[in-house]
Amino acid sequence: MSDTIQANAATYRAPAMTSGSTSFWPTGWWRLMDYKIGIISLPIYAILVVLLGILTQQGQIKPDAPTMIAVLVLGGFTCAEIGRRLPILRNIGAAAIFATFIPSALVYYKLIPAPIEKSIIDFTKFTNFLYVYIAAIIVGSILGMDRNVLVKGFLKIFVPLGVGSIAAAAVGTAVGMMLGLGAYKTFFFIVVPIMAGGVGEGAIPLSIGYAAILGQPQGDFFAQVLPPVMLGSLTAILFSGTLNYVGKKYPHLTGNGRLQPPGDGALDLGATEQQEDSSSSSDINAIAAAGLTAIVLYLMGVMLFHLIGLPAPVAMLFLAVAAKLGSAVSPRLQSGGLVVYRFVRIGMTYPLLFAIGVSLTPWEKLMAAFTVANLVTIIATVFTLMATGAVIGRLMNMYPIEIAIVNACHSGQGGTGDVAILTAAERMELMPFAQIATRIGGAITVTAVLVLLRWIA
């Protein structure tokens, strides 16, 4: 009976394959559907362009989820695809750079229709989906991480981060002095903002502290510290993309997202098998439950922020680590968390970067930092931060490329910079450590510098 069914099936398929080789429908159409721009099928891409053009003309672009998903997916993957197709630049993170900074330039030069721009800004502001993304990335990557490497990594990451920060401050200030910027201006208004933790957690509290200590308007200081934040993040993206290329040429220098060799500790929960074929070991219920677990951990982080002042992403990070180490999450949910992580990384990264470029990346502030002296100082600061981290990491038996990339996040544009840097480096698995570098490293930098300024002012 089974032989008869198989024979009939073979007889049925043969004409379809023969006709498909000479006719457009359906084989040719399927081939066209399989041609993608980013993750978007080419015919769907064309339909999206036409639909959004018509909706824009009719004034029907709203900041609701379906419309904004279409807009951000179209814009993000279009910009990323341009970067991917550029010779040389595609090897050093051009996709992430283009997805972030092309929309910023388009906004500045009024090339994005005003209704679309306003809807993107409103959607990004009120949905706060940056933190949904970070929650999924952090929780998914931690749950899928080797337990021994996780513990050792968290304990050891502060050493290259701290030494790199001190070296970067010294070298950056010295370079600025040699270029005639002066030690005071270079240190407080170029070097420190780079490592302050971004805009919301870095530039803003830093400028408020400067205003309170020096008795001048906060807006004036904010205008001075913001350009180095933006350009420092761009430099970190370029360097991290370059390190990704170096890692492919010299694989012994990288763990491809792992901070250090596993050593003698066995991989718990069959992490290797989960990473190789997570889709076969996770059911839909587990994936959905893992996504909800990430949201719950983030909300617990928000609660801790209001209770003790610890930033919500950092609190969520520690909660996820505690859940992993305490075996509070079952292997089934951990497997589902890895699928959530992969889905968010592939499907949401470039749309998120596009939204960040439109709503949170002022092009004019970035351009304001493009003087020779500023540019050289910023490059020297970021390079020293990353290079020192790589050297110290190598001495501590950690992968130098991974440590350099984590240190790069210390010079990024906050959480948005972490996303862009790790996307360029193709190492989103490092997000938990990037958050330590950005949030905790930035908070320590701002606090220490304000204490220093009050002492010398």
Side-chain angles (χ1 to χ4, degrees):
M1 181 66 178
S2 60
D3 293 338
T4 304
I5 293 174
Q6 292 175 0
N8 290 338
T11 303
Y12 175 78
R13 286 195 299 266
M17 293 298 293
T18 302
S19 61
S21 63
T22 58
S23 64
F24 174 73
W25 193 269
T27 307
W29 172 254
W30 290 343
R31 190 178 299 113
L32 190 62
M33 286 288 289
D34 287 338
Y35 185 87
K36 296 181 296 182
I37 297 177
I39 63 170
I40 315 171
S41 172
L42 183 59
I44 300 300
Y45 183 92
I47 293 171
L48 270 179
V49 171
V50 173
L51 284 176
L52 292 176
I54 294 173
L55 290 173
T56 302
Q57 288 184 341
Q58 294 180 344
Q60 296 300 312
I61 296 292
K62 307 295 183 184
D64 55 36
T67 306
M68 286 299 98
I69 288 173
V71 169
L72 297 179
V73 166
L74 182 67
F77 283 106
T78 299
C79 294
E81 192 69 18
I82 295 172
R84 282 199 189 103
R85 294 180 179 274
L86 294 178
I88 301 175
L89 291 179
R90 65 188 176 194
N91 296 320
I92 57 173
I97 294 170
F98 277 44
T100 306
F101 294 104
I102 284 182
S104 174
L106 293 177
V107 168
Y108 179 75
Y109 293 108
K110 308 297 182 184
L111 297 177
I112 292 181
I116 294 182
E117 177 189 346
K118 183 179 184 303
S119 294
I120 292 174
I121 293 173
D122 291 344
F123 179 77
T124 305
K125 177 180 178 181
F126 293 113
T127 61
N128 210 18
F129 81 106
L130 169 63
Y131 290 106
V132 174
Y133 177 92
I134 290 177
I137 290 292
I138 286 179
V139 173
S141 58
I142 286 179
L143 294 184
M145 193 179 296
D146 176 88
R147 180 179 299 176
N148 295 325
V149 173
L150 176 64
V151 174
K152 294 176 182 177
F154 269 87
L155 293 176
K156 294 168 69 173
I157 194 64
F158 289 100
V159 177
L161 181 61
V163 176
S165 299
I166 295 171
V171 172
T173 303
V175 170
M177 291 174 61
M178 289 188 293
L179 295 173
L181 296 175
Y184 179 85
K185 178 182 177 181
T186 301
F187 179 75
F188 286 104
F189 293 97
I190 298 179
V191 173
V192 168
I194 292 173
M195 299 185 289
V199 179
E201 298 86 353
I204 291 177
L206 190 66
S207 62
I208 291 173
Y210 284 176
I213 295 172
L214 300 177
Q216 299 178 32
Q218 184 256 338
D220 294 347
F221 289 118
F222 184 71
Q224 293 182 64
V225 301
L226 183 58
V229 172
M230 307 291 296
L231 194 54
S233 186
L234 174 59
T235 304
I237 294 169
L238 284 168
F239 282 161
S240 297
T242 303
L243 283 179
N244 179 45
Y245 180 74
V246 172
K248 293 176 181 178
K249 295 291 185 181
Y250 304 97
H252 65 283
L253 297 177
T254 178
N256 293 311
R258 184 188 292 273
L259 280 183
Q260 58 188 0
D264 297 328
L267 295 181
D268 60 324
L269 300 172
T272 303
E273 288 78 10
Q274 290 179 15
Q275 291 174 356
E276 289 176 352
D277 191 11
S278 62
S279 60
S280 64
S281 60
S282 299
D283 56 51
I284 298 300
N285 290 333
I287 295 169
L292 181 60
T293 301
I295 297 299
V296 169
L297 287 173
Y298 172 70
L299 292 177
M300 292 174 67
V302 173
M303 181 185 67
L304 287 175
F305 170 73
H306 291 292
L307 291 176
I308 62 177
L310 188 66
V314 176
M316 175 188 62
L317 170 64
F318 289 135
L319 289 170
V321 171
K324 171 73 174 183
L325 298 182
S327 299
V329 181
S330 69
R332 177 172 167 268
L333 277 183
Q334 293 189 46
S335 179
L338 194 58
V339 177
V340 171
Y341 157 77
R342 287 181 168 183
F343 171 79
V344 169
R345 184 190 65 185
I346 293 171
M348 289 179 59
T349 298
Y350 292 119
L352 174 64
L353 290 177
F354 188 86
I356 289 169
V358 171
S359 58
L360 299 173
T361 310
W363 182 256
E364 65 277 13
K365 299 295 184 183
L366 181 66
M367 293 299 102
F370 270 95
T371 65
V372 174
N374 282 355
L375 189 61
V376 173
T377 302
I378 291 169
I379 291 174
T381 302
V382 177
F383 177 82
T384 303
L385 178 64
M386 296 176 66
T388 304
V391 172
I392 299 299
R394 187 67 180 267
L395 294 176
M396 297 178 66
N397 194 33
M398 305 173 83
Y399 290 114
I401 287 180
E402 270 64 28
I403 299 302
I405 292 169
V406 170
N407 271 20
C409 293
H410 188 33
S411 60
Q413 191 183 334
T416 61
D418 291 344
V419 175
I421 290 166
L422 297 182
T423 301
E426 297 181 5
R427 282 165 175 78
M428 198 60 71
E429 301 89 343
L430 295 175
M431 179 62 80
F433 304 102
Q435 288 289 296
I436 290 176
T438 301
R439 310 287 180 177
I440 298 178
I444 293 174
T445 299
V446 171
T447 302
V449 166
L450 291 180
V451 170
L452 175 63
L453 181 62
R454 184 176 293 277
W455 181 66
I456 66 174

